[in-house]
Amino acid sequence: SDRVSYRYRRSYTEYLNFFQDIDIYLDTFPGNGGLTTLDSLWMGVPVVSYATDINGACWVSERQGLSILQTLNHSDWVAQSTEEYVDIAADIAADTDRLRQYRFELRQDLLDSALMDGRRIAASLESAWQKLVIEAKEVTSAPDVKSRCRALAHRRLQLSLERGLSLQLPSPKEPEISV
């Protein structure tokens, strides 16, 4: 009970100061922390995250930790199972010299990362929004409901192919031959 504490709502400054008492931030799951993950890294506290179902469908919030940590070249802090989550946290906790080093390095790692490149992020968002507007026009300008459904289905197929998703069909059964 002396290693785990719960703190209630506080000012943002008090909240950031609270990270001085934290050695490792254990990201929540199935929904990851997002901004709290970034706050932790900003304050020099390593984050252990759990990205559920890496190859399947998921909520966006289930992969925030993975996305952030991969961008910072710390994908080794992302677990694929609850057992691995505990193992990663234990490994980080065991190396107190490295924990001290993280305090001094993580903020600069964050500042040097693509996560802090506002111009690139703005350009990416602008491009994505422009693409969505064009695609929406294709659907909304269709003359009838059937054409709109076809345009939507075409768009979803394009997205699936761009993501490299494939349809897994069951293997065909051997025909039963009777003589």
Side-chain angles (χ1 to χ4, degrees):
S1 67
D2 62 329
R3 303 271 323 236
V4 176
S5 64
Y6 297 93
R7 310 261 175 108
Y8 297 98
R9 191 172 187 89
R10 65 198 72 232
S11 72
Y12 190 64
T13 301
E14 290 172 322
Y15 161 72
L16 290 178
N17 287 334
F18 171 63
F19 283 97
Q20 293 174 5
D21 297 332
I22 298 173
D23 294 323
I24 302 169
Y25 173 81
L26 301 175
D27 204 359
T28 56
F29 59 87
N32 297 157
L35 290 175
T36 54
T37 300
L38 291 168
D39 288 337
S40 178
L41 294 164
W42 182 256
M43 297 305 292
V45 177
V47 175
V48 178
S49 190
Y50 175 34
T52 57
D53 197 12
I54 292 296
N55 299 311
C58 67
W59 302 340
V60 171
S61 65
E62 289 180 77
R63 305 290 275 282
Q64 289 181 103
L66 170 67
S67 179
I68 291 166
L69 293 172
Q70 276 183 334
T71 302
L72 295 176
N73 297 315
H74 285 295
S75 54
D76 55 319
W77 293 351
V78 180
Q80 310 286 318
S81 68
T82 53
E83 294 81 13
E84 188 180 12
Y85 183 84
V86 172
D87 290 344
I88 293 169
D91 288 346
I92 293 171
D95 192 347
T96 56
D97 291 335
R98 189 71 182 126
L99 278 171
R100 270 192 289 292
Q101 195 172 355
Y102 289 140
R103 287 278 179 197
F104 298 105
E105 293 176 352
L106 284 174
R107 182 175 294 181
Q108 192 60 50
D109 290 348
L110 193 58
L111 286 169
D112 293 341
S113 77
L115 294 168
M116 302 299 276
D117 185 352
R119 290 183 192 277
R120 183 193 62 81
I121 293 169
S124 293
L125 286 171
E126 183 178 341
S127 174
W129 282 112
Q130 287 172 343
K131 190 175 178 182
L132 285 172
V133 167
I134 291 167
E135 291 165 1
K137 284 181 183 175
E138 291 174 9
V139 173
T140 57
S141 65
D144 54 47
V145 173
K146 185 175 182 179
S147 298
R148 285 186 201 114
C149 288
R150 185 177 295 127
L152 281 171
H154 183 260
R155 177 64 193 132
R156 289 191 177 145
L157 177 60
Q158 276 183 314
L159 287 172
S160 294
L161 293 173
E162 287 171 10
R163 292 182 186 150
L165 300 178
S166 61
L167 181 61
Q168 299 297 322
L169 299 174
S171 54
K173 294 182 179 179
E174 295 272 333
E176 291 183 23
I177 300 175
S178 60
V179 181

